[in-house]
Amino acid sequence: MQIQELNLQLVDLLNEWDPFGIGAGNYDTEIADIVQAVHDLDDEKILARKIQAIFEFSFEKLLPLNECKEIAAKLLAIKDGGACTI
C-alpha cells in the first residue's frame, strides 16, 4: 500500500471517530498529529498514550485510555495491513 493510500485510510477512520461529540470534521489538527504518530510508532500502548496526549493538549480534557487503545489498535491494523500488501 502506498503511503498516500494508507494516510487516506487512517484519516477516514479518524474522521468517523468523534471522541468529544463535537461533530466529525472538527479534529483536523489532531488527525494530522495522530497520522504522524502512527507512522512513527508500532506499539499500541505507546500510540494510545500519544493519542490521549494529543487530545488533552488540544481540548484540555483527558480521554479514557481504553478509548485511545481501541482506536490505536484499529489504526495499527490498517498500517500493518498496508505493510503486508503486495
Side-chain angles (χ1 to χ4, degrees):
M1 178 184 316
Q2 302 263 335
I3 296 284
Q4 184 177 13
E5 184 181 342
L6 171 60
N7 288 345
L8 289 173
Q9 288 183 16
L10 296 172
V11 169
D12 286 345
L13 176 63
L14 289 165
N15 271 322
E16 293 173 10
W17 188 43
D18 186 5
F20 289 112
I22 61 172
N26 290 303
Y27 302 101
D28 291 341
T29 302
E30 295 76 25
I31 288 173
D33 290 345
I34 293 169
V35 167
Q36 183 61 51
V38 170
H39 287 287
D40 294 341
L41 303 169
D42 292 315
D43 184 277
E44 181 183 317
K45 290 179 184 177
I46 295 171
L47 179 58
R49 290 193 188 280
K50 180 69 174 176
I51 292 168
Q52 188 181 47
I54 288 168
F55 279 103
E56 182 180 16
F57 180 81
S58 293
F59 294 94
E60 297 181 356
K61 294 180 185 175
L62 194 63
L63 282 173
L65 189 56
N66 285 340
E67 284 184 41
C68 297
K69 283 182 182 177
E70 287 179 29
I71 197 73
K74 291 176 184 178
L75 292 166
L76 290 175
I78 291 171
K79 177 183 170 182
D80 293 342
C84 296
T85 302
I86 296 177

